[in-house]
Amino acid sequence: AAHGGASPCFHAGPPRPGQEEATRIAPEDYYGPIIRNQRFLAEHEDLLHPARPISQFGLVYPRRAEREGEQDYLDALKRIAEWLEDAHVLYDIVFDDQLTERADEFPTLILPDIRRLSQSEIAAIQKHVDNGGRLLVAGATGTQDAEGNQQTPNPLFTRSAERIYYWESTDWQPEIKKIRTLDGEPEMPVYSHLPTAPDGRRLMAILRELCGGFWLETDAPWSVRTRAWRAENTEAIPVHWINYLQDEAPAIETPIPIGPVRADLLLPEQTRVECVEWRYPEMKKPLDLEHEVVESRVHFEIPR
């Protein structure tokens, strides 16, 4: 629901008949949380749909390269998106072939190795910068036209660097690590999180300077994910938090508590805060949180 109905993950679902003994997961382990969450969504539908994400950054997705079946076209996007998630930066995905219509929706655009760009898309990006927008260009972005022909010189390098940062190509490949909690310790690719990624921390510092600060500031660890949006049927501003830190040994999900978590959110223009409420599926009633509004930003703290 926080992603507008498009789930970015895979869920295994309830145990099939005969699996309970092997998995140590009972049907009620699965259905209890699911039922509570579905009820919560139904009770708060006005907060969830229809809605538009609050997005400081537009992260461009190379759909044209995907259609052409190119290799490694998502490597830069995966790495940068992971760092944005870790830093709790509010962003949304925009397809490369949507740039002519949507480039001006975002204060800052991030183009992660978007090699193929049409002339109209390049013009939209340049207009975005000329109108005061920020731009981060990574990898070989703009080195080819829409058909894959080389463009020399790169047309994106013709604008003032004041609001543009050109991120040098780096090793976008993930590390290969063993999963020690699974039999046989199979290997899988793992992208480094901000605490262990010097390049990621440097990039976040560059973005912060480029755009003058992030709309959402929080001391939450990288394992906490967040989204914010405006719903059409309410004046409320939902800010969604989920803690993914958990004990990996038990058969059922066993979260490790985090917090309390401090948050500092830039308010949309002409917004007045009446209250800040904390809600989650297992609680009897909302909890009012203390808050303070200072220079168009609301400060509050989420309980542990």
Side-chain angles (χ1 to χ4, degrees):
H3 286 270
S7 175
C9 62
F10 171 80
H11 200 289
R16 295 188 296 273
Q19 277 192 320
E20 185 173 346
E21 185 63 31
T23 62
R24 309 298 295 172
I25 300 176
E28 56 266 28
D29 294 328
Y30 174 84
Y31 286 112
I34 291 295
I35 292 170
R36 285 192 295 272
N37 275 272
Q38 292 295 336
R39 285 176 178 165
F40 184 81
L41 297 181
E43 292 167 358
H44 296 83
E45 187 169 1
D46 63 325
L47 296 178
L48 300 167
H49 177 80
R52 292 180 61 85
I54 295 176
S55 305
Q56 184 176 8
F57 295 87
L59 181 63
V60 181
Y61 184 98
R63 186 157 66 169
R64 187 174 288 116
E66 184 176 58
R67 292 195 189 105
E68 296 298 326
E70 294 184 4
Q71 301 294 318
D72 67 12
Y73 65 96
L74 280 182
D75 289 350
L77 182 141
K78 288 180 179 179
R79 178 58 61 91
I80 292 176
E82 184 72 71
W83 293 335
L84 293 174
E85 293 278 359
D86 291 352
H88 312 98
V89 170
L90 300 176
Y91 75 96
D92 195 14
I93 293 288
V94 56
F95 293 127
D96 49 10
D97 54 9
Q98 294 177 323
L99 282 168
T100 51
E101 293 83 23
R102 300 190 60 195
D104 286 336
E105 288 184 19
F106 308 94
T108 303
L109 286 175
I110 301 175
L111 284 80
D113 206 22
I114 311 297
R115 303 159 197 171
R116 296 174 180 240
L117 288 171
S118 69
Q119 292 302 312
S120 61
E121 290 157 5
I122 290 172
I125 294 168
Q126 293 172 337
K127 180 182 176 183
H128 162 80
V129 175
D130 292 342
N131 290 341
R134 269 59 177 171
L135 180 67
L136 182 123
V137 178
T141 293
T143 56
Q144 301 175 17
D145 62 20
E147 287 71 40
N149 302 310
Q150 292 295 317
Q151 299 192 103
T152 305
N154 187 330
L156 287 179
F157 284 74
T158 61
R159 285 299 191 269
S160 167
E162 181 182 348
R163 292 187 297 275
I164 305 176
Y165 188 86
Y166 300 99
W167 178 258
E168 294 292 337
S169 298
T170 186
D171 181 10
W172 306 113
Q173 299 304 313
E175 298 179 59
I176 303 301
K177 293 189 175 182
K178 292 183 178 181
I179 309 176
R180 293 184 173 83
T181 56
L182 297 181
D183 293 340
E185 297 189 354
E187 294 181 337
M188 71 174 294
V190 175
Y191 290 91
S192 298
H193 293 287
L194 274 183
T196 57
D199 274 353
R201 294 195 300 274
R202 187 161 64 92
L203 181 59
M204 291 305 106
I206 289 167
L207 286 177
R208 184 187 296 277
E209 182 177 357
L210 185 67
C211 65
F214 295 144
W215 288 359
L216 176 65
E217 301 282 359
T218 176
D219 62 355
W222 70 263
S223 54
V224 171
R225 300 310 205 198
T226 187
R227 289 288 184 272
W229 59 86
R230 296 302 303 267
E232 293 181 9
N233 297 329
T234 177
E235 294 298 319
I237 302 174
V239 185
H240 172 84
W241 306 81
I242 183 166
N243 172 25
Y244 280 105
L245 185 65
Q246 64 180 23
D247 186 345
E248 301 290 348
I252 62 173
E253 291 190 4
T254 307
I256 298 173
I258 287 295
V261 170
R262 292 192 299 273
D264 172 6
L265 177 68
L266 178 68
L267 296 167
E269 292 184 3
Q270 299 179 336
T271 298
R272 181 171 61 88
V273 179
E274 292 183 354
C275 65
V276 177
E277 292 182 342
W278 178 236
R279 301 170 180 240
Y280 58 89
E282 292 79 12
M283 71 192 319
K284 292 182 179 179
K285 60 180 181 180
L287 176 66
D288 286 327
L289 301 181
E290 293 184 4
H291 69 278
E292 181 183 17
V293 177
V294 180
E295 296 182 351
S296 300
R297 301 187 74 97
V298 58
H299 308 271
F300 57 94
E301 186 175 88
I302 296 169
R304 181 173 181 267

